[in-house]
């Protein structure tokens, strides 16, 4: 058998514990709070079908031909108009269409990271982002967070120890996995620190549009005038993740390099999908659709909070997100989370253990609970079952 | 202004001479033989529209939801059946669906290449592949070719000088830019050399299905039993490039790593596009469609050969491809190709100068001519104009 000489960036092991959790949890009989899936019953299937028909009728040959790496200009204009409603004024020229925001992160890492370069993230954080940074050789460091997001004093201390940090990666709105958002004061402080320590802020914002309580907070990119923030957005949570479509917006000098690297990766993003989403934004009221998702998730999130209070041990700590898809819970320390996971699977209910979300120093008695993908009734019944299993282990 | 600290893999210059040629050549008044675009009038627009409708009707919610990194199983099965007709027996488990074959090349480079590693290609070759390898730090070396493809004696000599070569990259069928194919004897020899010098062969095959003369030659991957060949395929030339969909097939140990790296890059390939192409392959006769393209390109290729004979200087050397989309021509040495390009643009006709296709030692009196994207009449008239311009410079 051939012994392959892989590059140093390839993980030696094919193990994927997080993926295995999701696979186990995907059994149809299981009420799963494990994944990060939007509610499929809210996808605007009929509208997207109508839009696809119109595109094939009006522009079939053009849509099926090669296009440009930076992405469809009309789509970039529509995203710019949408981002205006989210508090960010952006020139469509400063935008790159990506094959989902994951590709945005990949291209940013490729552009910025040499082996040994340092990337700081929230602790816990979205681990697939750190996987990407590590693939390009980054050393990753975690900074603690609370209900107001990443702690800026702890970040500053970490920067003092690591003044050569290249990127600080944050999910400022309804963060994955905690559901917490970064306050305006901390966003401003983060931009100041970026100037002082000369790093790039990656503002990853998949969930920000889904706010059902509190006031919107200005995007970090809108607070910066030195071109230090790269914003990544996606249609995965507000429209449909099966359509792989996202965007990055940043200083033109960065977008120029990112466009080149994106072109090397996949020439350009699927043209049919770009045209479908552009036409959907033109022909329909996307904000009304987002409002509908937001109303449903508000109800589901409230049901999950209520269920934690009703069925989980009184000592359980948990976050109270103002939007997004996730709640983060900290159980009494005597509960073995891996054992709890196995027992829950036996009782047809699932969650994700929290440890894999930590770039370092994992807190093993934590869990992430997703509420977007299940009905209020399923949330009540699944959480009740989970409460019973926790009680049986909490002796 | 912020001075960005890019990684060492980012090109310092944003210059893109090849891209500039294509931009200049894309002016509507120009008869362009410059790009590598398929004939849009042959895209099966009505069938793809019908298929999209059926998918939204039958599976709308599922198609719009997240999917798996390796790609739709049904699609992989259909591709395996198709590749059987092309002479390659492949288990769908040994396949990865990619966002176009360019992403396949990117993932292969990411998997194999550490800075300083060597990649050998044909000289001339498809330069965007070399761009990808270089992005991961590869040193690229060219090996000469003739009408039977890469010269194996020259390859062996290069391997002796560079025994640590990691990848030999070839386009064995109707190569871009020359249109030439690698003979069966050379394919077998290449596999022997891979065993002897312990390298991976990347068999990039975008054009192989479009054969209008001669006999099909066995895929290199079908000649190897040591798992040393990674085959990359695409629907760009046989169906539609705007749908970014390709695949890689290789030893399962390689596919496992590639799937992980692909997941880091864009989670999975657009699910709607995967389902559209799978359903198209199920509901329609894709081979009949390929036959239609092949017949049209045969006629266009013949018209271009005839026009070279009619209008270009008698000393012009040119290839006689048995399929694909390109002819390679070598003009008398006294002609300055860059000047010729500028003059041709003034006369509303375009081609691509050959020099950028060379990984090293460019031959400056060469050009690539594409015949797939223009009618026979346009080919005759554009080539006649070009012949007049050449004559005016060939004093």
């Amino acid at each position: 058998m051939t012994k392959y000489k892989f590059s140093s960036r390839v993980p030696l092991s094919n193990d994927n514990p997080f993926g295995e959790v999701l696979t186990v949890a995907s059994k149809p009989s299981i009420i799963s709070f494990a994944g990060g899936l939007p509610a499929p019953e809210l996808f605007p299937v009929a509208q997207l079908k109508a839009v696809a028909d119109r595109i094939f009728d009006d522009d079939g040959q053009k849509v099926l031909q090669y296009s440009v790496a930076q992405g469809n200009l009309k789509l970039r204009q529509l995203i710019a108009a949408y981002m205006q409603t989210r508090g960010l004024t952006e020139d469509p020229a400063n935008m790159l269409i990506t094959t989902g925001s994951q590709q945005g992160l990949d291209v940013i890492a490729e552009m910025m990271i040499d082996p040994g370069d340092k990337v700081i993230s929230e602790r816990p954080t979205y681990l697939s982002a750190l996987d990407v940074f590590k693939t390009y050789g980054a050393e990753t460091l975690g900074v603690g967070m609370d209900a107001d997001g990443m702690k800026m004093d702890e970040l500053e201390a970490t920067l003092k120890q690591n003044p050569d940090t290249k990127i600080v990666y944050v999910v400022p709105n309804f963060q994955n996995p905690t559901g917490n958002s970064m306050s305006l004061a901390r966003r401003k402080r983060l931009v100041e620190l970026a100037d002082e320590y000369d790093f790039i802020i990656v503002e990853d914002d998949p969930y920000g549009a889904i706010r059902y309580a509190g006031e919107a907070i200005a995007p970090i990119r809108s607070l910066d005038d030195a071109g230090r923030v790269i914003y990544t957005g996606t249609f995965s949570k507000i429209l449909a993740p099966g359509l792989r479509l996202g965007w990055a917006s940043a200083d033109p000098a960065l977008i120029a390099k990112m466009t080149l690297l994106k072109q090397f990766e996949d020439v350009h993003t699927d043209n049919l999908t770009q045209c479908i989403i552009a036409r959907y934004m033109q022909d329909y009221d996307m904000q009304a659709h987002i409002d509908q998702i937001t109303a449903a998730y508000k109800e589901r999130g409230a049901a999950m909070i209520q269920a934690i209070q009703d069925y989980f041990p009184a000592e359980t700590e948990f976050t109270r997100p103002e939007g997004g898809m996730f709640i983060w819970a900290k159980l009494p320390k005597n509960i073995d989370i891996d054992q709890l996971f196995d027992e829950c699977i036996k009782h047809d209910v699932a969650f994700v253990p929290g440890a894999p979300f930590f770039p370092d120093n994992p807190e093993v008695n934590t869990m992430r609970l997703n509420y977007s993908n299940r009905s209020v009734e399923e949330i009540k019944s699944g959480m009740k079952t989970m409460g019973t299993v926790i009680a049986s282990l909490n002796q």
Side-chain angles (χ1 to χ4, degrees), chain A residues 147-263:
Chain A
D148 285 330
M150 184 185 265
K151 294 175 182 167
M152 287 300 125
D153 50 351
E154 195 178 322
L155 172 62
E156 191 168 7
T158 306
L159 287 166
K160 275 192 181 133
Q161 295 287 322
N162 303 278
D164 55 339
T165 294
K166 268 212 170 166
I167 287 177
V168 173
Y169 169 79
V170 293
V171 184
N173 293 315
F174 322 126
Q175 192 236 20
N176 179 3
T178 65
N180 286 330
S181 297
M182 189 184 289
S183 67
L184 181 62
R186 290 199 188 166
R187 293 176 192 220
K188 287 180 175 165
R189 182 66 187 139
L190 178 58
V191 170
E192 284 171 10
L193 289 170
D195 282 338
E196 190 174 341
Y197 288 91
D198 191 20
F199 58 82
I200 293 287
I201 299 166
V202 177
E203 178 179 27
D204 189 16
D205 187 27
Y207 315 105
I210 304 172
R211 173 177 284 281
Y212 47 70
E215 292 297 319
I217 309 169
I220 304 170
R221 175 145 166 80
S222 74
L223 305 171
D224 159 68
D225 49 22
R228 292 198 189 278
V229 183
I230 308 177
Y231 178 98
T232 56
T234 175
F235 289 94
S236 290
K237 308 306 190 285
I238 56 176
L239 206 55
L243 303 176
R244 304 296 309 137
L245 200 75
W247 68 92
S249 76
D251 186 274
L254 295 173
I255 290 294
K257 299 290 186 195
M258 290 173 71
T259 301
L260 198 63
L261 294 173
K262 188 262 187 314
Q263 185 167 350

Side-chain angles (χ1 to χ4, degrees), chain A residues 3 6 192 195 333 344:
Chain A
K3 175 111 179 61
F6 294 120
E192 284 171 10
D195 282 338
K333 283 210 160 63
C344 281

Side-chain angles (χ1 to χ4, degrees), chain A residues 5 112-113 118 137 165 179 217 242 269 310 312 341 366 378 388:
Chain A
K5 295 174 289 188
M112 300 304 299
I113 300 298
K118 284 164 190 159
T165 294
I217 309 169
T269 292
D310 290 347
F312 278 29
F341 179 81
T366 54
E378 288 173 309
T388 308

Side-chain angles (χ1 to χ4, degrees), chain A residues 1-259:
Chain A
M1 201 190 130
T2 299
K3 175 111 179 61
Y4 298 110
K5 295 174 289 188
F6 294 120
S7 76
S8 55
R9 64 181 77 80
V10 169
L12 289 178
S13 155
N14 289 338
D15 288 356
N16 181 359
F18 190 73
E20 279 155 31
V21 162
L22 294 185
T23 304
V24 169
S26 70
K27 221 175 80 180
S29 63
I30 288 180
I31 297 180
S32 175
F33 309 127
L37 305 187
E41 68 276 14
L42 301 178
F43 292 152
V45 176
Q47 295 179 340
L48 291 171
K49 180 190 167 187
V51 154
D53 274 355
R54 285 169 216 162
I55 288 163
F56 278 115
D57 286 344
D58 296 351
D59 269 322
Q61 290 187 9
K62 207 176 152 201
V63 161
L64 296 171
Q65 189 57 282
Y66 279 114
S67 182
V68 294
Q70 195 179 353
N72 185 304
L73 176 60
K74 183 79 208 167
L75 175 62
R76 285 185 280 128
Q77 289 166 339
L78 288 158
I79 294 172
Y82 162 70
M83 284 310 298
Q84 191 79 48
T85 72
R86 297 278 320 282
L88 182 60
T89 303
E90 193 76 80
D91 188 325
N94 299 350
M95 264 184 212
L96 169 67
I97 302 297
T98 57
T99 308
S101 57
Q102 183 77 22
Q103 190 188 49
L105 300 178
D106 189 80
V107 169
I108 292 165
E110 187 174 357
M111 173 171 68
M112 300 304 299
I113 300 298
D114 276 321
D117 282 348
K118 284 164 190 159
V119 173
I120 295 176
S121 75
E122 291 140 343
R123 182 178 63 235
T125 188
Y126 171 55
L127 218 63
S128 297
L130 298 195
D131 283 340
V132 169
F133 290 118
K134 281 184 199 159
T135 299
Y136 291 96
E139 184 184 327
T140 60
L141 302 162
V143 164
M145 60 187 304
D146 59 24
D148 285 330
M150 184 185 265
K151 294 175 182 167
M152 287 300 125
D153 50 351
E154 195 178 322
L155 172 62
E156 191 168 7
T158 306
L159 287 166
K160 275 192 181 133
Q161 295 287 322
N162 303 278
D164 55 339
T165 294
K166 268 212 170 166
I167 287 177
V168 173
Y169 169 79
V170 293
V171 184
N173 293 315
F174 322 126
Q175 192 236 20
N176 179 3
T178 65
N180 286 330
S181 297
M182 189 184 289
S183 67
L184 181 62
R186 290 199 188 166
R187 293 176 192 220
K188 287 180 175 165
R189 182 66 187 139
L190 178 58
V191 170
E192 284 171 10
L193 289 170
D195 282 338
E196 190 174 341
Y197 288 91
D198 191 20
F199 58 82
I200 293 287
I201 299 166
V202 177
E203 178 179 27
D204 189 16
D205 187 27
Y207 315 105
I210 304 172
R211 173 177 284 281
Y212 47 70
E215 292 297 319
I217 309 169
I220 304 170
R221 175 145 166 80
S222 74
L223 305 171
D224 159 68
D225 49 22
R228 292 198 189 278
V229 183
I230 308 177
Y231 178 98
T232 56
T234 175
F235 289 94
S236 290
K237 308 306 190 285
I238 56 176
L239 206 55
L243 303 176
R244 304 296 309 137
L245 200 75
W247 68 92
S249 76
D251 186 274
L254 295 173
I255 290 294
K257 299 290 186 195
M258 290 173 71
T259 301

